Amino acid sequence: MKLSLVTTAYNETKIIKKTILAWSKWLNKQNIKFEIIVYNDGSTDDTLKKLKELRTKLTSLKIINGKMNKGYGFGMRQSIKKSKNKYIVTIDSDNQYELADIKVFFPLINKKDQFFTGHRVKKKDNYLKILADLILRLIVRLIFNTKIKDTNCALKMFDRKILKKIKLFSNDYSLPTELSLKAEMLGLDIVDLPIKHKSRQDGKSKINILFTSLKFLKFLIKLKSKFIIYEKK
């Protein structure tokens, strides 16, 4: 199996080294051929410096340096575009996800068009973020009638060939939801399994709950309108 692990980082100097080294160690233990692609989203701290230090040790690490902060979704899209391997794994760089959880997907891989996604059974964050996430999950289900339990879970895996059918445009934290809903709309075989979610160990979240939630809602309305137009064709 060949994996492209893609992520984006913004001011994660306190955790980025630990996170990437842990990913690399686990993937090597699985005897998986892999590349790790990180988009540095205009970080103003030492994130880029840390990434460059890591690259001297990890030949599998590829860095894309963005000079300006353009958003989570924008960064993820750049990393996805840079990827080369058959399977793409999306994950956050703040070390709140266990990469090892993707192992439960491996025995389920077959020749069908599949889309693997995790759902966070117990989201480890402050109460306000957990509440906002639950409300947004409910809104997504109501608007799109989706069966996916946690569309905005960052940990996903899919064959790169589906990118020929899916065009992503989100620049924000809504990108995992866009990816999930478009995969479902295309009739892909959705494999939705529970995964772990950890509390942030170092660094600080960059999310403004109110601002991010409002942008998320605006994006959902835009995406729904695109789905309606698509269905009418």
Side-chain angles (χ1 to χ4, degrees), residues 50-132:
K50 299 286 185 182
L51 287 170
K52 288 181 176 179
E53 289 172 358
L54 272 175
R55 191 168 54 186
T56 63
K57 303 175 184 177
L58 303 176
T59 57
S60 59
L61 177 61
K62 297 178 181 178
I63 305 168
I64 309 170
N65 186 38
K67 294 182 180 180
M68 295 176 62
N69 178 245
K70 293 190 175 181
Y72 174 89
F74 180 88
M76 289 297 267
R77 288 194 289 112
Q78 306 321 302
S79 290
I80 289 171
K81 287 177 186 177
K82 185 79 171 179
S83 65
K84 301 294 183 184
N85 291 335
K86 179 175 175 58
Y87 288 101
I88 297 172
V89 174
T90 61
I91 190 170
D92 287 351
S93 62
D94 57 11
N95 205 33
Q96 288 191 262
Y97 289 90
E98 287 283 358
L99 179 61
D101 280 347
I102 65 171
K103 197 171 183 179
V104 298
F105 298 148
F106 297 166
L108 303 175
I109 294 173
N110 56 42
K111 294 181 180 180
K112 295 179 182 178
D113 286 336
Q114 291 177 295
F115 183 82
F116 297 92
T117 183
H119 60 265
R120 295 161 291 183
V121 179
K122 291 184 179 180
K123 182 174 165 63
K124 299 291 186 179
D125 262 316
N126 64 53
Y127 291 119
L128 188 58
K129 284 185 180 179
I130 292 172
L131 178 61

Side-chain angles (χ1 to χ4, degrees), residues 2-227:
K2 293 183 178 180
L3 292 181
S4 291
L5 191 63
V6 302
T7 193
T8 183
Y10 176 61
N11 289 350
E12 295 290 359
T13 187
K14 292 183 178 180
I15 197 69
I16 196 69
K17 263 192 172 183
K18 180 179 179 181
T19 301
I20 293 175
L21 285 171
W23 292 344
S24 178
K25 183 179 180 180
W26 184 81
L27 288 164
N28 280 319
K29 280 187 176 180
Q30 309 307 310
N31 292 317
I32 293 173
K33 293 183 179 180
F34 66 93
E35 60 178 357
I36 298 173
I37 305 170
V38 183
Y39 181 84
N40 175 47
D41 191 20
S43 296
T44 56
D45 62 2
D46 287 335
T47 296
L48 181 60
K49 180 182 176 182
K50 299 286 185 182
L51 287 170
K52 288 181 176 179
E53 289 172 358
L54 272 175
R55 191 168 54 186
T56 63
K57 303 175 184 177
L58 303 176
T59 57
S60 59
L61 177 61
K62 297 178 181 178
I63 305 168
I64 309 170
N65 186 38
K67 294 182 180 180
M68 295 176 62
N69 178 245
K70 293 190 175 181
Y72 174 89
F74 180 88
M76 289 297 267
R77 288 194 289 112
Q78 306 321 302
S79 290
I80 289 171
K81 287 177 186 177
K82 185 79 171 179
S83 65
K84 301 294 183 184
N85 291 335
K86 179 175 175 58
Y87 288 101
I88 297 172
V89 174
T90 61
I91 190 170
D92 287 351
S93 62
D94 57 11
N95 205 33
Q96 288 191 262
Y97 289 90
E98 287 283 358
L99 179 61
D101 280 347
I102 65 171
K103 197 171 183 179
V104 298
F105 298 148
F106 297 166
L108 303 175
I109 294 173
N110 56 42
K111 294 181 180 180
K112 295 179 182 178
D113 286 336
Q114 291 177 295
F115 183 82
F116 297 92
T117 183
H119 60 265
R120 295 161 291 183
V121 179
K122 291 184 179 180
K123 182 174 165 63
K124 299 291 186 179
D125 262 316
N126 64 53
Y127 291 119
L128 188 58
K129 284 185 180 179
I130 292 172
L131 178 61
D133 182 68
L134 289 173
I135 292 172
L136 288 173
R137 286 194 205 187
L138 179 59
I139 291 171
V140 170
R141 288 179 192 171
L142 290 173
I143 293 176
F144 295 92
N145 193 30
T146 179
K147 294 181 180 178
I148 300 173
K149 295 178 180 178
D150 183 9
T151 58
N152 221 45
C153 174
L155 189 61
K156 303 183 188 298
M157 186 176 83
F158 52 91
D159 193 313
R160 69 178 304 102
K161 67 182 180 182
I162 77 167
L163 294 174
K164 295 178 181 179
K165 303 175 182 179
I166 293 177
K167 291 184 179 180
L168 301 169
F169 65 89
S170 172
N171 287 328
D172 300 304
Y173 289 101
S174 50
L175 183 125
T177 287
E178 180 188 9
L179 188 54
S180 298
L181 293 173
K182 286 185 173 178
E184 188 176 46
M185 183 190 69
L186 285 172
L188 302 185
D189 179 20
I190 308 294
V191 181
D192 190 348
L193 296 174
I195 63 162
K196 301 181 188 72
H197 189 251
K198 303 181 293 184
S199 299
R200 178 181 270 271
Q201 298 170 353
D202 284 294
K204 186 179 180 181
S205 174
K206 319 307 180 300
I207 297 175
N208 178 301
I209 296 297
L210 180 59
F211 181 67
T212 300
S213 297
L214 289 174
K215 288 186 75 173
F216 194 96
L217 288 171
K218 183 179 179 181
F219 175 82
L220 292 179
I221 294 169
K222 185 177 181 180
L223 185 62
K224 181 63 176 180
S225 66
K226 287 182 177 291
F227 277 20

